[in-house]
């Protein structure tokens, strides 16, 4: 301790004053005393002075006030001196905060509390005070201010409406976007609203909005947070719009409240609906396309009402000739007319679809009684009826070519086991109808044929192919080609591995042929396992050579998911362990429809894959039915826009809007956005403009053998 210089007062018989000096040693700050001489010299400094300032006591002790004042930050000096002087003149205490520049420690914040000591005449004798270091608190304050500021800015910048409500649903605060979104004049009038005014009376599922909102608030409060779709209403126009609402419980000055975020997703939903139409509807006739027909038929096959299904494959004879003779426009009109007739024929329980240019499919649901007697006869009768309807339509429509005939192949599917009929999936039924159609065509124009097992052409070919596939898997006859994925600056940042099945004659069987076959014959797991291991081996080799590839994307077939014996995740973990790869160098591409097939199961498995570190990409985005809410909840890292949309974007505005919406969905969900099938500069330019950052397609490269991709990675063309 630095002894106070008290000699001036000693000698008197004043009663012993309490001595705080020992106590002062332990306080996190230093005490001082100054004498009112001309220089206000320091008489006393408690021990922690040195600790706090890094200066020896001699620096100040018996020195004038200026030595200390000089340490104070120039900007704070004036107010410090003034504050102190003012307090002393008034005979009061002072409490000051200032920055101080210490030779060894740089800038610190000090708090200085002191008071004057006066004699009987009221003359100021000394100054005593206590100084503590408040730097940490000051920084904390600043941090807090800054983070509050940042938070406020974030809220204000958000395009989503963000508000705070109490547990009765009353609005307490809102950001700038909130009144805009709800068509309200300004924030003040918005805050005066009751939230019930911002929703229609009922939600689309029929629940009264008030009841549903109260339930959601209670639930959000109970769980801590909640997210749900909600229909809102604009105040100015009364128009309703679709939103996703997120609620989070917060503490507002000690009271519970909810932070509510409302994102307007109506535009995305509209686009999604259009996407859906594009993917599943034939644009010319409005009939479902092949994919949609297959899905519908698959669903019907799972129904167990026992009603037989009649499947007709219909082909217009010499359509090419008609097209050339009557012109494209008139033939398009013809297709639309025929489509309408077929739609009427299929009835409400059946389906009409357009498979390709002049090929239609009609599925008719029969009553069991209709086939009870002689099924073949009934089948013939039904086919005859459809044919008659087509002819009648032609006759009744003026301006159509009269010289027209049709070939029809049909097959009957009776549910329940039928002798000799072991294949009953939708694809098989279509194949049967098609086999019958081929038989009809072979017989000439205007022919009908009924499928019979003897006609096994198509199916036999498939069985032969299946056995070749089994051999090829056992013999590891496959290879992988790698297609670069490039960033905006043209750098190859990743690649997609695509399987190839080379044939002895040098041709390739395309994956679109052998993957579905492997899936249907249960061989996809073995094939997938081979792919995972080979891809990892290749990746490890490149890594060993120091070649940069952010990640390698591989395709996962839906049948590889949901296997409890040897889960996909175990296969993947084994492979990355064997080849010493970090999990995030592998990206798994899963198609939208695969994810949606069994969302509950897929979600669990995907979450676990993501937790293990694998990247996940949603493949062929735009071709499935996923809702934004579903997507938001799945742990994807990237979204790949289907090539059909990318390619159409160049040609028409509508498709361009759709791709734009895919990009904006990716941005909204904070996913990497990869456009597939980029073939032209124009497509690439459009995608760039929309904010899509990654591209894959023939414009950059076709899928390449490993050695060629390697050359790329080395930077040599
Ligand atoms: P995908 O995953 O959508 O793969 C992209 C397909 O688009 C590839 O066809 C690729 O060659 C092709 N492509 C790439 N750029 C362009 C372009 O600019 N224009 C056009 N027109 N096409 C382009 P590929 O290799 O024939 O593969 C077809 C599909 O087979 C793949 O579609 C994927 O679904 C499946 N597939 C391929 N390899 C595997 C595999 O190892 N496992 C599984 N489960 N499926 C695979
Ligand atoms: Ca893919
Ligand atoms: Ca794809």
């Amino acid at each position: 301790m630095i002894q106070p210089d008290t000699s001036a007062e000693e000698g008197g018989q004043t009663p012993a004053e309490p001595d705080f000096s020992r106590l002062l040693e332990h306080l996190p700050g230093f005490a001082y005393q100054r004498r009112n001489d001309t220089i206000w010299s320091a008489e006393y400094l408690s021990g922690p002075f040195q600790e706090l300032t890094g200066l020896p006591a001699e620096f100040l002790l018996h020195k004038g006030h200026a030595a200390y004042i000089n340490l104070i930050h120039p900007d704070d000096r004036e107010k410090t001196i003034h504050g102190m002087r003012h307090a002393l003149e008034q005979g009061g205490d002072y409490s000051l905060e200032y920055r101080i520049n210490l030779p060894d420690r740089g800038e610190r914040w000090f708090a200085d509390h002191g008071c004057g000591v006066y004699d009987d005449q009221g003359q100021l004798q000394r100054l005593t005070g206590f100084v503590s270091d408040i730097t940490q608190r000051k920084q904390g304050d600043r941090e807090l201010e800054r983070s509050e500021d940042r938070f406020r800015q974030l809220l204000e910048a958000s395009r989503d409406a963000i508000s705070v409500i109490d547990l009765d649903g009353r609005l307490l605060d809102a950001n700038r976007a909130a009144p805009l979104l709800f068509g309200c004049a300004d924030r003040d009038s918005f805050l005066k609203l009751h939230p019930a005014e911002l929703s229609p009376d009922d939600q689309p599922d029929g629940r009264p909005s008030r009841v549903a909102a109260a339930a959601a608030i209670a639930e959000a409060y109970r769980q801590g947070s909640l997210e749900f779709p909600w229909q809102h209403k604009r105040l100015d126009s009364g128009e309703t719009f679709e939103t996703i609402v997120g609620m989070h419980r917060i503490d507002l000055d000690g009271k519970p409240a909810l932070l509510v975020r409302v994102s307007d997703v109506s535009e995305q939903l509209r686009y999604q609906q259009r996407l859906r139409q594009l993917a599943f509807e034939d644009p010319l006739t409005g009939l479902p396309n092949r994919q949609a027909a297959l899905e519908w038929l698959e669903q019907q096959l799972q129904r167990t009402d026992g009603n037989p299904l009649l499947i007709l494959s219909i082909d217009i004879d010499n359509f090419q000739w008609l097209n050339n003779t009557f012109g494209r426009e008139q033939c398009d009109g013809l297709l639309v007319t025929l489509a309408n007739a077929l739609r009427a024929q299929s009835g409400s329980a059946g389906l009409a679809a357009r498979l390709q240019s002049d090929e239609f499919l009609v599925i008719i649901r029969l009553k069991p009684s209709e086939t009870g007697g002689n099924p073949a006869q009934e089948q013939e009768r039904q086919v005859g009826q459809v044919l008659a309807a087509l002819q009648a339509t032609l006759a009744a429509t003026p301006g159509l070519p009269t010289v027209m005939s049709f070939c029809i192949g049909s097959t009957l599917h009776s549910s329940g086991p039928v002798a000799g009929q072991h294949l009953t999936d939708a694809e098989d039924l279509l194949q049967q109808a098609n086999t019958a159609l081929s038989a009809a065509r072979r017989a000439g124009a205007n022919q009908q044929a009924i499928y019979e097992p003897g006609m096994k052409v198509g199916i036999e070919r498939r069985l032969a192919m299946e056995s070749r596939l089994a051999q090829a898997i056992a013999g590891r006859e496959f290879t992988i080609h790698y297609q670069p994925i490039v960033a905006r600056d043209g750098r190859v940042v990743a690649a997609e591995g695509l399987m190839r099945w080379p044939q002895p004659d040098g041709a390739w069987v395309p994956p679109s042929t052998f993957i579905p076959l492997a899936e249907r014959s249960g061989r996809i797991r073995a094939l997938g396992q081979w792919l995972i291991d080979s891809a990892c081996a290749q990746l490890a080799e490149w890594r060993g050579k120091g070649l940069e590839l952010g990640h390698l994307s591989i395709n996962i077939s839906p049948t590889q998911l949901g296997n409890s014996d040897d889960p996909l995740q175990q296969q993947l973990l084994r492979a990355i362990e064997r080849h010493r790869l970090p999990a995030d160098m592998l990206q798994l591409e899963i198609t939208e429809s695969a994810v949606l097939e069994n969302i509950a199961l897929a979600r669990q498995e995907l979450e676990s894959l993501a937790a293990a570190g694998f990247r996940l990409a949603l493949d062929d985005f735009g071709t499935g039915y996923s809702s934004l809410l579903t997507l938001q909840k799945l742990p994807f890292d990237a979204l790949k826009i289907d090539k059909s949309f990318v390619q159409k974007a160049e040609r028409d505005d509508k498709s361009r809007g759709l791709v734009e919406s895919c990009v904006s969905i990716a941005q909204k969900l904070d996913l990497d956005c990869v456009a597939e099938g980029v073939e032209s500069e124009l497509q690439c330019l459009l995608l760039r403009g929309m904010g899509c950052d990654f591209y894959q397609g023939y414009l950059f490269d076709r899928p390449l053998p490993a050695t060629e991709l390697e050359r790329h990675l080395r930077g040599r063309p």
Side-chain angles (χ1 to χ4, degrees), residues 483 496 498-500 511-512 515 531 555-557 560 589 619-620 643 647 676-679 697-698 703:
Q483 187 172 32
E496 176 175 2
L498 294 154
M499 234 189 275
R500 297 290 178 258
S512 51
I515 298 283
L531 174 89
N555 294 281
I556 297 298
S557 153
Q560 286 174 272
E589 293 192 8
D619 204 358
D620 299 352
K643 54 178 176 290
Q647 290 166 358
E676 289 189 321
V678 183
E679 291 185 358
Y698 296 168

Side-chain angles (χ1 to χ4, degrees), residues 270-323:
R270 264 198 301 278
Y271 276 133
Q272 249 183 350
Q273 231 147 20
R274 284 290 306 148
L275 278 173
R276 215 171 277 181
Q277 274 176 5
L278 266 190
F280 287 96
E281 194 182 283
D282 165 42
L284 176 66
T285 61
L287 289 184
N289 62 14
R290 186 173 202 280
Q291 186 59 29
L294 270 174
E295 280 188 18
W296 184 88
L297 187 54
E298 202 72 67
Q299 277 169 13
Q300 299 304 308
L301 293 177
Q302 275 153 23
R303 279 169 58 160
T304 49
D305 60 4
N307 288 1
L309 293 169
L310 177 62
I311 296 124
L312 281 72
S313 196
I314 304 169
D315 185 47
I316 305 173
D317 293 330
N318 304 316
F319 188 69
Q320 194 53 46
W321 175 83
L322 282 172
N323 231 335

Side-chain angles (χ1 to χ4, degrees), residues 62-123:
H62 310 302
K63 304 272 167 33
H65 200 32
Y68 190 70
I69 293 290
N70 282 338
L71 292 178
I72 294 180
H73 192 289
D75 292 350
D76 294 349
R77 252 176 234 163
E78 174 86 29
K79 77 168 191 229
T80 306
I81 297 171
H82 179 79
M84 213 178 264
R85 197 173 284 153
H86 183 74
L88 295 175
E89 275 163 15
Q90 306 292 314
D93 302 345
Y94 55 87
S95 227
L96 305 159
E97 289 180 354
Y98 46 77
R99 282 164 293 175
I100 195 133
N101 285 315
L102 297 171
D104 291 342
R105 313 201 164 162
E107 188 176 290
R108 313 288 300 173
W109 273 93
F110 280 4
D112 192 340
H113 303 278
C115 62
V117 179
Y118 301 84
D119 65 10
D120 298 346
Q121 277 85 49
Q123 287 297 314

